[in-house]
Structure formats: structure tokens, C-alpha cells
Amino acid sequence: MVDVTWGGARVSAQDATERAKALHKLRLGDVIFHAITRSAALLVLLLLGGVMVALFVGSLPALTTFGFDFVTTQSWNPVTEKFGALAPIYGTLITSLIAMVIAVPFGLLIAMFLTELCPMWLRRPIGIAIELLAGIPSIIYGIWGLFVLAPFLQQYVQPALIATFGNVPVLSSLFAGPPYGIGVLTASLILAIMVLPFVTSISRDVFDAVPPVLKEAAYGLGCSTWEVMRYVVLPYTRVGVIGGVMLGLGRALGETMAVTFVIGNAHKISSSLLAPGTTISATIANEFTEAVGDLYTSSLIALGLILFVITFIVLAIARYMLLRIEKRVG
Amino acid sequence: MDASIYNTRRRRNVIATAASYGATGIGLAGLAMILGVLFWEGFSGLSLSVFTEMTPPPGSAGGLLNAIVGSILMTVIAIVIGTPIGMLAGTYMAEYGRHEKISSVVRFINDILLSAPSIVVGLFIYEVMVVPMGHFSGIAGAVALSVIVIPVVVRTTEDMLMLVPNTLREAAASIGLPRSLMIRHIAYRAARSGIITGILLAVARISGETAPLLFTALNNQFYSHNLNAPMSSLPVVIFQFALSPYEDWQKLAWTGALIITISVLALSIIARALTGTRKAS
């Protein structure tokens, strides 16, 4: 038998009962620590469940009053207490879609630059800069959008768009109306700028996971940089890239502050991208503290529930796809 | 051999490469412009009174003291609540349940919480804390922030414990060290800088969060460290002041935005330096 020694307390091997007691204490500590960590892990699950339940309970009054009409009508009238979520849902989807259409090609091209074209000594600084920018709070992008981007668009870009596309059949309705500055297009641009560092840094990580042998073999055959990207890197990383894009989309869908500043908060679906609109998160941020009446509050929580369900699905798909590429690499 | 095929290939490559350079240029220029404007506007409003005076009524000078104090207070409480829970959960996943199904489920859910919309967290805390308490409060804001801290800490703790070499664990086990003591005295120590990095990143993440505070902590025009009452915070003040028509308020919003950005960048750089030295050694 050996001595049991821990933290200054020394129990000699000769004293059998003392020794058993000490061992028992250690075993008990082990069991307790195991139980505590396990319950903490379960708490994470509980957190997600709690969010779901709390939002569902909170939105019950609205959902029972309006039923399925809640997601198919677009009237939003606090006075008559008629609420429909179509306009914010549409706004959320359209702004995120436009943002991704802009940010994804940009992000992929920058990732291509960072992994294939950039000189070695410049890779780390640019990579770090992009990661730091991905961490900047969205309210910073929002305030910049409000004071810099919106006036700029109003003065220069939007009049030009209206003048250029005013007489083109389909596009004229997309760019109709006066240049407000704030509106769907501005919100989409801000979202795109905000998501860009995010998409870039994930795509770069995914591109970096391609085994160098594959790329070297392609270069050895005489492939150009573009051909290596197009026929080796992209096919190999397709799943991961889609996962990264979905992750960015999840961010864009739930983004609140960057959008709230510049969307204009109008509960109206307009065919024009220059018109003010609203998104789910902007509606909640703008109206929640001023909402009077249970039905109004409950409708806003129902909006939150819809947002949560949409982003949950998008993020789940994203994580699943990224998991698949991780498995292949590891 | 047909030369035109080479020309086409070369042309495609030139176009793609040019697009890649162009995209990087535009991207970096755009982001540099945002930071440039922020620093320009922010520094022009920066003075000592920003840190010593309360948020002013419209039309008069003032500072951001109450907002800064509120932000720091709620951030500290959020970290104090969120870190232990996150660390313990991460410990379970990396040490005890590494090969159990529950760990992969928790990991999946945690990753979703990591990027869930923060405004939904605000609604959640509103439902479970503000409604039962009957009023907005600083503590509700802090709890909302801690819900955002937990997934960040879980993720980094797990990742960092996974990097601890198994030989260390085996060595501890071979001298008869109980598992809980091995984790606390060997694994934590080996992963310490990584875990601290995770906490710093969590601080960076919540110091700019606005959406979860809007209807939990609300805002307070006056100095208050009463956690049971509405509390002001930098992001919410920025939101309110930037959208106001008053020039003094807009100026303060820029200055507040600068303070947040500098703190976030500083935290991220320190966190990066910590993991950097760990990798080097």
C-alpha cells in the first residue's frame, strides 16, 4: 500500500481507516465534478430549448388570434391591432439575399487572393486584419451606414440608378421612386460589407484545407491559377464553401443593428429597392419598447420566433456541411 | 497545336486574377474607409469630459460616463455568470464525454447558439426575467449578455482541452490522480492561455452587443449602479443618439463607437497574442 498525499494533507499507509476515508473523499469529489460538468453541458441544451419555449409561449396570443394569416398578410396596424408579418419576412429575406449575392463572389475572390496570389509575407497581416474586422460590432457598421453610406448613395448612386434604368422595362420598377438614401438597397449593402470579412475568413480556412499535393499536381500539369481554383480547389471545398456561405447568411438574416439604422422601418412590400422597408429584427428593435397591448407585444415576439426558426434551419444546414468537410480533412 | 486555346486560357486567367486583386483592393479599401471615418469622427469628439460627465439632455454638452460604467458592470457580471457554466460544459465535452453522443449533440446546438440572432436572446430574457420582475433592469441585461458568452466559452474551452496531449492525462492517471483533480490541475493548466483567450473573445463579442440590451437593461439617462433598475450602456446610447436629430448627441455616438471599437480591437489583439505565444513555445 502506498501513501495518499494531496494538498498538504498526508495520510500514512499504515492507518487503514484514515486511508479509506481519504480515498472516499477523492472519489466523491470526482463524482461531484463529473455531475457538475455534465449538468453544465445539459444546460446548454436547456438554453436552446428555453429560448424556443419562451418565444413560443410569448407568441401564442398572436398566433391564436391571427393563425396562419400572420405570415401571409402584410397589414401592420397597432391602432386596429391587425398584425401580419409578411413585410418584415420579405424584407429580411430580400436584404440577406442581395447581401449574399454581393458578398459571396467578393469573399471568394479575396480568399483566392489570400491562398493563391498573395505574397507569403503579406498573407498573415491581411488575414489578421480580416479576422479583426469580422469581430467589429455591427452597430459600428450601422452608424457608418447612416452617416456616410446613405447620404452618399442618395446624392450620387441612386439618382444615377434611376436615370440609367428608368426606361428599362423590368429594372425600372426595381429602381423606382425618389432617392431616399435609406432603404432596402442601402441595408443590403451594409449587410454585404458586414458579412464580407466573415465569408472571406471562412472561405480562406476552407481553401487552406486543400492538400497542397492536389494543387501542385494541377500546377505541374500546366494549369493556370484560375484553373486550379476552378477545377481543383472549388470542387474539393464545395461543401465547406456552401457551409461558410450559409453561416454568413445566418448572420445576415439575424443582423439587427446594422440594418435598423438604414432600412427606414416601413411595413410595406415595395418592388423598388430604393424604397424604405423593414426586416424582422429591425421591427423588433424599433417597436418593442414602445409596443402597448398584449397583442402588439406578442406579435413582435412571434416575429422573433419566425426569425429564430429561419436562422436555426439555415445554421443547422451550415454546421452540418462544415462538419462534413471537417471529417474529410481530419 | 492550336494557339487560340492557350490564348483563351491565358485571357481567362488574367481576368480571374485581376478580379481577385480588384476584389481584395475594394474590400480592404472599403473596410479601411469605415475605420478611417470612425477614427476621424470619434477622435474629434474625444475629450476628458466624455469619461467624467453624464449623457446630456439634447442641446448641451456632456459625456458618456453612465453608459461606460453600465457597460463595464453588465459585461463583468455577464462574464462572471457565463464563464463557469461555459467552462464546465466545455470540460464535460472534452474530458468526460468525448466519445459520447450527448457531446456531439451539445456541440451542434452550441454552434447554433454561437451564431443565433442576438435580438432573439433579448426577447428570451425579456420573457423569462423582465416580465416576471415587472420592470427592465441591469441584471436582466447582464444575464442576456451571459447567454451570448456561454457558447463562446464552451467552444474555446473544448477546443483548447482537446489540444492537451493525452500523455499528460495518462501520466497523471498513472500516479493515481483522480480524474477531477487531473482536469483541474493538469488539463486546465495546460490549456490556460487558450481558455483565457476564449474569455477575452467573449468580452469583445458582448461589448458591442446592442440588440439583447434594448429591452432588458433598456437605458438610463442618469448614473446608476443599481442592478435592479434600468441601466444605460454604450451600444444602446449610441443607437439612441445616432438616430436623434441633435448634433451633440450624434457626436457623442461617434465617440462611443470609437471607444467600443478600440476596446474590441485591443481585446482581440491581446487574445491573438496569447494564443500566438502558446503556439510558439
Side-chain angles (χ1 to χ4, degrees):
Chain A
M1 289 230 277
V2 289
D3 290 2
V4 178
T5 316
W6 186 258
R10 188 167 183 286
V11 182
S12 129
Q14 270 70 46
D15 193 340
T17 47
E18 284 297 309
R19 187 171 185 281
K21 225 184 259 172
L23 281 178
H24 179 73
K25 224 169 120 189
L26 287 178
R27 201 170 300 129
L28 193 68
D30 227 19
V31 170
I32 291 173
F33 192 68
H34 181 252
I36 292 176
T37 55
R38 194 182 164 89
S39 24
L42 292 175
L43 190 74
V44 174
L45 295 184
L46 208 66
L47 212 55
L48 187 90
V51 172
M52 290 261 194
V53 171
L55 289 181
F56 185 71
V57 170
S59 57
L60 264 184
L63 294 179
T64 48
T65 312
F66 302 115
F68 200 64
D69 282 350
F70 187 71
V71 289
T72 55
T73 56
Q74 59 159 314
S75 69
W76 187 268
N77 193 335
V79 182
T80 57
E81 298 219 304
K82 277 254 175 289
F83 298 105
L86 195 59
I89 293 176
Y90 168 82
T92 299
L93 296 179
I94 195 80
T95 48
S96 300
L97 192 74
I98 299 174
M100 294 318 282
V101 166
I102 299 169
V104 169
F106 262 91
L108 290 180
L109 284 170
I110 299 176
M112 169 180 163
F113 173 80
L114 284 175
T115 52
E116 296 299 322
L117 300 169
C118 186
M120 270 303 173
W121 58 270
L122 208 58
R123 278 185 198 186
R124 251 181 76 80
I126 296 186
I128 290 174
I130 285 171
E131 274 163 39
L132 288 179
L133 287 165
I136 288 189
S138 58
I139 192 164
I140 310 295
Y141 291 97
I143 189 173
W144 182 81
L146 178 69
F147 288 122
V148 181
L149 185 65
F152 175 76
L153 290 178
Q154 182 176 26
Q155 236 173 335
Y156 302 106
V157 179
Q158 294 186 345
L161 283 174
I162 295 168
T164 317
F165 298 113
N167 299 317
V168 188
V170 184
L171 293 173
S172 66
S173 67
L174 275 183
F175 300 108
Y180 288 112
I182 53 174
V184 173
L185 183 69
T186 315
S188 311
L189 280 177
I190 284 286
L191 273 183
I193 295 172
M194 219 201 83
V195 173
L196 182 61
F198 203 67
V199 173
T200 305
S201 94
I202 294 185
S203 319
R204 189 207 49 187
D205 289 349
V206 174
F207 287 173
D208 269 338
V210 177
V213 187
L214 289 184
K215 288 196 276 187
E216 282 156 15
Y219 279 124
L221 287 173
C223 284
S224 63
T225 312
W226 168 245
E227 283 161 347
V228 171
M229 281 305 291
R230 173 71 188 75
Y231 299 108
V232 179
V233 175
L234 274 182
Y236 189 87
T237 56
R238 197 179 49 223
V239 179
V241 167
I242 296 173
V245 168
M246 299 286 271
L247 214 57
L249 179 63
R251 270 212 143 179
L253 286 169
E255 182 41 51
T256 312
M257 299 330 286
V259 175
T260 309
F261 276 109
V262 293
I263 188 100
N265 202 33
H267 280 274
K268 203 173 58 164
I269 296 178
S270 172
S271 65
S272 171
L273 295 179
L274 305 184
T278 193
T279 67
I280 294 178
S281 49
T283 304
I284 301 173
N286 269 318
E287 300 179 21
F288 198 82
T289 43
E290 285 147 29
V292 273
D294 287 344
L295 204 54
Y296 195 178
T297 310
S298 167
S299 298
L300 287 169
I301 295 176
L303 277 181
L305 181 66
I306 293 171
L307 176 66
F308 192 55
V309 171
I310 296 175
T311 47
F312 186 93
I313 294 168
V314 170
L315 292 173
I317 297 172
R319 288 298 174 188
Y320 175 72
M321 291 190 138
L322 287 174
L323 219 63
R324 264 179 55 185
I325 194 152
E326 257 170 43
K327 266 195 193 130
R328 191 158 58 181
V329 174
Chain B
M1 281 286 241
D2 192 354
S4 73
I5 242 182
Y6 287 102
N7 286 332
T8 317
R9 285 180 57 200
R10 191 169 298 135
R11 195 160 356 107
R12 276 202 191 132
N13 190 45
V14 168
I15 293 172
T17 329
S20 178
Y21 278 108
T24 311
I26 295 174
L28 287 179
L31 294 165
M33 201 163 71
I34 294 183
L35 287 183
V37 172
L38 175 70
F39 276 69
W40 176 258
E41 296 275 351
F43 270 119
S44 69
L46 202 63
S47 65
L48 195 65
S49 62
V50 169
F51 302 98
T52 55
E53 286 174 34
M54 306 295 142
T55 47
S60 58
L64 294 164
L65 176 66
N66 47 341
I68 294 173
V69 170
S71 269
I72 292 174
L73 209 57
M74 284 192 282
T75 304
V76 168
I77 297 171
I79 292 293
V80 167
I81 300 173
T83 305
I85 298 176
M87 265 182 74
L88 289 169
T91 306
Y92 181 79
M93 286 151 68
E95 297 289 340
Y96 288 111
R98 195 178 278 203
H99 303 294
E100 278 178 45
K101 196 157 175 59
I102 181 174
S103 292
S104 45
V105 175
V106 172
R107 193 173 304 128
F108 191 75
I109 295 296
N110 188 65
D111 279 351
I112 285 177
L113 281 175
L114 202 59
S115 26
S118 55
I119 193 152
V120 168
V121 172
L123 286 176
F124 167 60
I125 297 301
Y126 174 84
E127 279 290 301
V128 299
M129 281 188 76
V130 177
V131 170
M133 287 168 76
H135 57 86
F136 300 105
S137 64
I139 189 73
V143 173
L145 291 179
S146 76
V147 173
I148 295 167
V149 170
I150 291 173
V152 181
V153 177
V154 170
R155 185 62 198 261
T156 40
T157 307
E158 195 206 351
D159 285 352
M160 291 304 140
L161 286 177
M162 287 287 203
L163 290 179
V164 174
N166 261 334
T167 42
L168 277 183
R169 295 194 180 89
E170 285 156 10
S174 71
I175 57 163
L177 203 60
R179 206 160 175 185
S180 61
L181 293 176
M182 181 276 287
I183 293 168
R184 273 179 288 166
H185 295 273
I186 312 283
Y188 279 172
R189 196 163 294 180
R192 189 168 54 198
S193 69
I195 295 174
I196 293 173
T197 302
I199 297 169
L200 288 177
L201 288 177
V203 177
R205 171 87 198 271
I206 58 171
S207 53
E209 281 288 355
T210 322
L213 295 175
L214 283 174
F215 25 82
T216 49
L218 202 69
N219 200 352
N220 192 340
Q221 224 193 311
F222 306 103
Y223 181 88
S224 160
H225 50 251
N226 181 2
L227 285 172
N228 206 18
M231 188 175 269
S232 81
S233 61
L234 267 180
V236 176
V237 167
I238 294 173
F239 179 53
Q240 191 197 343
F241 281 17
L243 283 172
S244 78
Y246 314 110
E247 213 156 288
D248 299 329
W249 277 18
Q250 291 177 358
K251 195 111 221 135
L252 275 177
W254 276 113
T255 309
L258 179 73
I259 295 173
I260 290 186
T261 308
I262 289 179
S263 350
V264 169
L265 287 180
L267 283 166
S268 316
I269 290 169
I270 295 171
R272 191 167 279 281
L274 271 177
T275 33
T277 49
R278 189 182 50 81
K279 264 177 202 152
S281 62

